[in-house]
Amino acid sequence: MAGNTFGRLFRVTTWGESHGPALGAVIDGCPPRLSLSVADIEAELARRRPGVQAHATSRREPDKVEILSGVFDGQTTGTPISLIIYNRDVKSQDYDELRDVFRPGHGDFTYQAKYGIRDHRGGGRASARETAARVAAGAVAQKILDREGVQVLAYTIELGGVAARKIDASSIWDNPFACPDPEAVAAMEARVQEVRGLHDSLGGVVQVRVRGCPPGLGEPVFDKLDAALAGAVMSVGAVKGVEIGAGFAAARRLGSENNDPLIPGGFASNHAGGILAGISSGAEIILNAAVKPIPSIGREQQTIDLEGRPRTLAVKGRHDISAIPRIVPVIMAMVRLTLADFLLRQRAIA
Ligand SMILES: Cc1cc2nc3c(=O)[nH]c(=O)nc-3n(C[C@H](O)[C@H](O)[C@H](O)COP(=O)(O)O)c2cc1C
């Protein structure tokens, strides 16, 4: 399996490279009679526009989507949905210097090792540009979730070591960091400015909360819901860790501290993050994703060229300081795709 397809019943294949003419997704297995418009998809795509920029000339994609199939009279028909997004703002010459040198921290070295050839322009298929297709497909998945009353919220809880201390869902998209705490925004901005001056980059933590997820989603034993969510979110470039509920903190607690007591109508706490034995419990699903700093940095670093000779590299061209906030809708999309697939799988047996 070449690894470009996600899901069992709600199946999404993404295709395309950063600097090719277009990219897109083909969705097979979407139920019929869901309302779906270009506007639904473009609203989500707008959230992954270039954000915390290092250079004034950062790539500006209009991110217009065309629905080529599977929708008639504003409704899904049950046939494959094909989505295409054209790459319009392509400046491939910015990447000429990367043709025969490997960027530390990026996929250049491993793509070359695996395939013996690579499209060096913009990171090719390892580029975040591919994630536009996931976000588009995620907007379709949300239509299935809407029908079941499932809401997915995602936001930045940490950027460059600055943490959000409260979660005001209404303020997430009011600031350049998708931060739910208006009081943390200024400190995040200051940290970004500081690092911009160093020609360096920043990581952070994205949190996802799923409300209204019915109990029973997740399949024993290899397709547990937590395993599937972790795999889905880790499939996003730059994600280096996934926690469900208390995550790593659970390793330092007593059982009596970590268990969530059952009470009539639910649980007294939610350290499990809404999943027990790989099956959703009906409690809120809580997931944290650790996002590493952007690998392409203007600061000089040691590397090698195609012949293995030592080189130094200070990456030019258009790169953000952090994958945050653009990664927030991407992680949200992967959670949506996972839940839509598991909802359909549960429907098949219950
Ligand atoms: C939304 C998003 C935006 C990103 N933007 C950039 C970028 O501008 N420059 C860059 O070098 N890497 C960027 N990345 C990270 C690389 O895609 C990623 O680090 C690379 O593919 C290597 O994969 P790994 O970090 O998972 O090992 C971005 C990732 C995401 C998800």
Side-chain angles (χ1 to χ4, degrees), residues 58-103:
S58 282
R59 186 166 175 166
R60 288 267 169 220
E61 290 290 334
D63 278 348
K64 296 273 173 221
V65 70
E66 271 179 54
I67 303 174
L68 299 181
S69 65
V71 177
F72 176 68
D73 273 350
Q75 292 199 311
T76 59
T77 59
T79 62
I81 299 171
S82 191
L83 307 173
I84 187 165
I85 301 164
Y86 287 97
N87 286 327
R88 293 198 168 93
D89 180 24
V90 168
K91 290 189 181 155
S92 300
Q93 63 278 12
D94 281 357
Y95 292 87
D96 283 352
E97 63 160 2
L98 300 178
R99 185 178 275 279
D100 65 349
V101 69
F102 302 122
R103 281 170 299 175

Side-chain angles (χ1 to χ4, degrees), residues 103 105-107 126 128 236-238 240 292 294-296 319-320 323 326-327:
R103 281 170 299 175
H106 216 295
V236 180
K240 292 297 135 189
K292 80 177 193 183
I294 290 271
S296 300
H319 299 282
D320 291 347
R326 300 180 66 202
I327 200 168

Side-chain angles (χ1 to χ4, degrees), residues 9-242:
L9 293 187
F10 187 83
R11 287 175 76 75
V12 177
T13 302
T14 74
W15 55 269
E17 282 86 24
S18 174
H19 286 220
L23 51 83
V26 178
I27 304 166
D28 202 3
C30 184
R33 298 185 310 281
L34 298 171
S35 78
L36 183 66
S37 69
V38 160
D40 293 332
I41 300 172
E42 288 181 354
E44 297 299 326
L45 287 171
R47 291 180 168 167
R48 67 162 287 296
R49 281 188 303 246
V52 189
Q53 289 146 24
H55 306 284
T57 55
S58 282
R59 186 166 175 166
R60 288 267 169 220
E61 290 290 334
D63 278 348
K64 296 273 173 221
V65 70
E66 271 179 54
I67 303 174
L68 299 181
S69 65
V71 177
F72 176 68
D73 273 350
Q75 292 199 311
T76 59
T77 59
T79 62
I81 299 171
S82 191
L83 307 173
I84 187 165
I85 301 164
Y86 287 97
N87 286 327
R88 293 198 168 93
D89 180 24
V90 168
K91 290 189 181 155
S92 300
Q93 63 278 12
D94 281 357
Y95 292 87
D96 283 352
E97 63 160 2
L98 300 178
R99 185 178 275 279
D100 65 349
V101 69
F102 302 122
R103 281 170 299 175
H106 216 295
D108 305 343
F109 178 80
T110 48
Y111 266 61
Q112 189 71 35
K114 181 174 174 66
Y115 299 107
I117 182 170
R118 97 193 134 94
D119 181 348
H120 66 283
R121 302 163 306 164
R125 186 115 174 105
S127 160
R129 190 77 194 121
E130 179 270 338
T131 64
R134 304 185 193 214
V135 171
V140 182
Q142 182 59 42
K143 295 288 177 167
I144 298 172
L145 304 188
D146 285 345
R147 203 170 58 174
E148 312 280 339
V150 181
Q151 296 170 304
V152 183
L153 196 66
Y155 45 82
T156 303
I157 49 159
E158 204 175 306
L159 176 63
V162 180
R165 304 209 179 281
K166 65 176 184 196
I167 298 162
D168 169 7
S170 67
S171 72
I172 295 172
W173 299 105
D174 288 354
N175 64 81
F177 310 112
C179 175
D181 177 0
E183 285 164 30
V185 170
M188 287 181 180
E189 180 66 49
R191 184 83 181 107
V192 165
Q193 292 301 348
E194 180 190 345
V195 168
R196 177 176 284 136
L198 301 171
H199 306 290
D200 221 319
S201 60
L202 289 171
V205 181
V206 172
Q207 185 164 80
V208 182
R209 286 176 183 261
V210 181
R211 295 183 182 144
C213 182
L217 304 195
E219 309 295 331
V221 288
F222 299 115
D223 279 357
K224 291 178 172 169
L225 184 58
D226 42 0
L229 284 170
V233 172
M234 283 284 258
S235 80
V236 180
V239 173
K240 292 297 135 189
V242 175

